Amino acid sequence: MKQKHATTPSLDTLFIKTYGCQMNEYDSSRMADLMHKAYGLRLVAKPEDADVILMNTCSIREKAEDKVYSELGRYRKLKDKNPNMIIGVGGCVGQQEGERIQQRAPYVDAVFGPQSYHQLPEMIHKIRRERVNVTAIDMPEIEKFDHLPTPKGHGSVGFVTIAEGCDKFCTFCVVPYTRGPELSRPVNDILQECQKLLDAGMIEISLLGQNVNAYRGLGPDDEEWDFTMLLYAVAKLDGLKRLRFSTSHPMEMTDELAIAFGELPTLMPYLHLPVQSGSDAILKAMHRGHTRDDYFPIIDDLRKHCPDIALSSDFIVGYPGETNEDFEQTLDLVRRVNYDFAYCFKYSPRPGTPASKSEDNVSEAIKDKRLQRLLELTREQTRAAMKNQIGRTVDVLVEKESKHAGELQGRTADYRIVHFQGQPRQIGQIMPIRITESYGQSLRGELILA
Ligand code: 5AD
Ligand code: SF4
């Protein structure tokens, strides 16, 4: 049996619950590496098996705080059974709520934000030594990345954060407040992290940032490099087969970036370029910095340089003041662009954002109706694009076993999910697959045997 000391019981296991975006997934894996290095903690799949539970939270939409508190209620029961358990709440809700979390849930030992999780080992040390609650939600000038161990990586796709935060201040969005100002990591740090992941066996690199194409980082020549320069450098790394990035902002698109899609064989033909709305009045109210007519030439340019590029966008319906006519403009934009994928959301006011000061005056019923209409249109576009794939032979990076026995799941170059029959040893490889069927939002295919 595990020997537990009366004052400093041993910590062996860690459970991390992650909500939200890929940046949070990345942060969670860095937290796991950090806790492994500092305390030798081993990740477990269930909270009941953990000595330390960390929640990496998201506050981008809806009542994220409520979800956090209800999950915390579950953890409280576990802590009642194991009083030495340490519970931490990190991520954007941690940043936003700060000490309010411990006022409402005093059994939470640590609260921290997306820019301060490198302090976790010290925080845990303090909790154990002084038996106090700790909060770390400052946004230090120093780079958290300097304090993190080398990422170990697992699977075949490696994620690398290239820039943090956002300076765009779209009126509906909490990110500039929770993740702080935009900060680009130096080129060499990024290249080294990518190379380590490739050396560890990963073949795809996905560059992450709230606004990756706004990247402006210090180059090895002491000059400022933009995002396209960085892409060309990453594309040269040994062992790289596939390169992706997300998320991009229309205002930061350049001709050079569109050309890169045509020129770089490893840069995968898929771009997520959120436009949010097709109405000029709403785009202006949202502080997006461009009109609908600015968006179309960007799409044309991308398709000129990379005719097969798959495109996706995020949309918000029911932003304060959105009229039927505004919404029709969004449908019109969607019809003109013809997206491969779309992510559609009902507007919800987020604490502290400028939009939350305007009345949330589009009724829930109208938001629902608009969301349904937009989903019908965008799903139909996805279905048509998927059907087009039938009969093609495409390269699929096999990512994991699928939910059905004997089946594997992977992604095409243009980010479509494909299911097929295969062997687990094929995971991590790029295999030729002939597409035989479309399920509407994903595909089915058969392995082409050499
Ligand atoms: N309400 C609804 N959707 C939102 N998003 C961000 N903030 C809000 C909000 N307050 C959506 C945007 C963004 C995506 C990540 O989440 O579409 O691109
Ligand atoms: Fe939020 Fe706008 Fe920044 Fe995207 S660009 S993270 S929507 S503020």
Side-chain angles (χ1 to χ4, degrees):
M1 225 179 92
K2 196 163 69 183
Q3 191 70 42
K4 290 222 175 201
H5 190 275
T7 49
T8 51
S10 73
L11 296 177
D12 299 322
T13 49
L14 169 69
F15 174 79
I16 306 183
K17 172 89 180 167
T18 308
Y19 298 89
C21 62
Q22 286 181 330
M23 297 276 283
N24 267 14
E25 296 284 348
Y26 172 89
D27 287 340
S28 291
S29 70
R30 305 301 310 261
M31 284 176 208
D33 291 347
L34 188 64
M35 298 301 278
H36 179 74
K37 187 170 176 216
Y39 287 101
L41 292 191
R42 175 172 57 78
L43 270 181
V44 290
K46 290 189 278 183
E48 46 271 40
D49 297 334
D51 298 319
V52 178
I53 295 181
L54 299 178
M55 292 178 85
N56 193 5
T57 61
C58 170
S59 60
I60 192 90
R61 288 181 293 273
E62 295 166 347
K63 309 270 181 282
E65 305 84 65
D66 296 348
K67 257 198 271 175
V68 172
Y69 284 113
S70 77
E71 187 72 9
L72 274 174
R74 264 184 74 199
Y75 299 158
R76 174 190 202 155
K77 292 193 189 115
L78 300 176
K79 193 166 175 166
D80 284 344
K81 283 191 220 146
N82 174 11
N84 294 318
M85 176 184 271
I86 291 174
I87 299 179
V89 179
C92 291
V93 178
Q95 185 67 38
Q96 195 176 283
E97 295 292 291
E99 285 171 1
R100 280 197 296 270
I101 292 182
Q102 283 144 330
Q103 282 158 14
R104 239 179 104 169
Y107 50 93
V108 170
D109 302 283
V111 173
F112 52 98
Q115 306 306 357
S116 41
Y117 65 80
H118 58 285
Q119 297 171 21
L120 265 170
E122 286 160 50
M123 294 170 80
I124 290 192
H125 189 66
K126 194 163 176 191
I127 291 163
R128 279 154 61 83
R129 196 186 49 215
E130 299 171 27
R131 299 186 166 272
V132 287
N133 289 346
V134 290
T135 311
I137 54 166
D138 45 330
M139 294 205 187
E141 289 287 307
I142 46 145
E143 279 250 319
K144 76 174 172 223
F145 296 101
D146 295 344
H147 297 260
L148 299 173
T150 307
K152 287 200 303 292
H154 38 83
S156 39
V157 183
F159 293 91
V160 176
T161 292
I162 65 161
E164 279 276 355
C166 184
D167 290 339
K168 290 279 188 284
F169 290 94
C170 300
T171 52
F172 53 82
C173 184
V174 283
V175 167
Y177 311 98
T178 56
R179 283 200 174 259
E182 201 162 273
L183 207 153
S184 296
R185 296 176 69 190
V187 171
N188 269 343
D189 291 8
I190 295 168
L191 294 179
Q192 278 165 19
E193 192 170 320
C194 291
Q195 190 62 64
K196 279 184 181 134
L197 292 167
L198 294 168
D199 292 347
M202 254 129 278
I203 56 176
E204 175 171 315
I205 294 286
S206 189
L207 304 177
L208 301 180
Q210 238 65 50
N211 249 312
V212 275
N213 59 341
Y215 176 88
R216 280 166 193 77
L218 183 69
D221 51 4
D222 277 340
E223 299 288 327
E224 190 180 85
W225 283 32
D226 70 10
F227 180 60
T228 310
M229 293 166 81
L230 175 71
L231 266 188
Y232 277 81
V234 175
K236 284 203 201 104
L237 295 176
D238 273 351
L240 180 79
K241 297 269 177 25
R242 288 183 164 195
L243 178 56
R244 302 186 188 278
F245 58 85
S246 189
T247 295
S248 303
H249 193 291
M251 284 299 286
E252 302 286 348
M253 283 304 295
T254 59
D255 200 35
E256 288 76 26
L257 184 49
I259 292 170
F261 276 105
E263 275 191 2
L264 290 173
T266 49
L267 183 56
M268 294 293 101
Y270 166 57
L271 180 67
H272 182 55
L273 193 65
V275 65
Q276 314 295 354
S277 168
S279 148
D280 280 342
I282 297 297
L283 287 169
K284 191 163 178 219
M286 286 176 165
H287 202 232
R288 291 287 293 175
H290 66 86
T291 62
R292 56 186 270 124
D293 284 341
D294 295 328
Y295 189 74
F296 296 122
I298 299 172
I299 302 293
D300 293 344
D301 200 33
L302 285 160
R303 287 184 168 147
K304 182 177 101 192
H305 292 291
C306 183
D308 284 336
I309 196 164
L311 295 168
S312 65
S313 173
D314 295 339
F315 294 94
I316 296 178
V317 300
Y319 184 83
E322 186 188 68
T323 62
N324 267 332
E325 180 50 34
D326 292 319
F327 177 63
E328 289 296 332
Q329 291 279 298
T330 298
L331 294 177
D332 179 71
L333 179 141
V334 171
R335 282 188 205 104
R336 279 176 66 173
V337 173
N338 191 12
Y339 289 97
D340 293 85
F341 313 98
Y343 306 90
C344 310
F345 311 106
K346 285 191 284 186
Y347 169 75
S348 61
R350 305 282 63 222
T353 58
S356 69
K357 298 187 178 68
S358 306
E359 192 195 342
D360 182 13
N361 60 0
V362 178
S363 73
E364 205 50 32
I366 290 182
K367 281 184 189 165
D368 280 331
K369 223 164 109 193
R370 289 181 187 164
L371 183 68
Q372 275 319 311
R373 280 190 69 198
L374 186 59
L375 283 174
E376 269 165 38
L377 176 61
T378 55
R379 282 185 185 151
E380 187 44 46
Q381 293 187 342
T382 303
R383 257 196 300 277
M386 291 290 185
K387 222 170 144 193
N388 249 335
Q389 306 296 314
I390 298 174
R392 293 190 190 182
T393 297
V394 291
D395 283 339
V396 170
L397 170 53
V398 187
E399 288 179 359
K400 55 184 178 189
E401 291 187 60
S402 126
K403 274 175 263 158
H404 309 289
E407 298 262 305
L408 300 178
Q409 179 179 320
R411 289 212 190 240
T412 63
D414 56 0
Y415 215 52
R416 297 172 204 282
I417 293 178
V418 180
H419 303 270
F420 64 99
Q421 280 214 318
Q423 310 293 331
R425 65 182 152 76
Q426 288 156 339
I427 293 171
Q429 295 179 39
I430 296 177
M431 315 286 298
I433 304 279
R434 199 172 64 84
I435 302 301
T436 55
E437 204 180 328
S438 164
Y439 297 131
Q441 308 297 309
S442 65
L443 297 167
R444 174 164 193 86
E446 1 175 276
L447 195 58
I448 309 270
L449 297 169

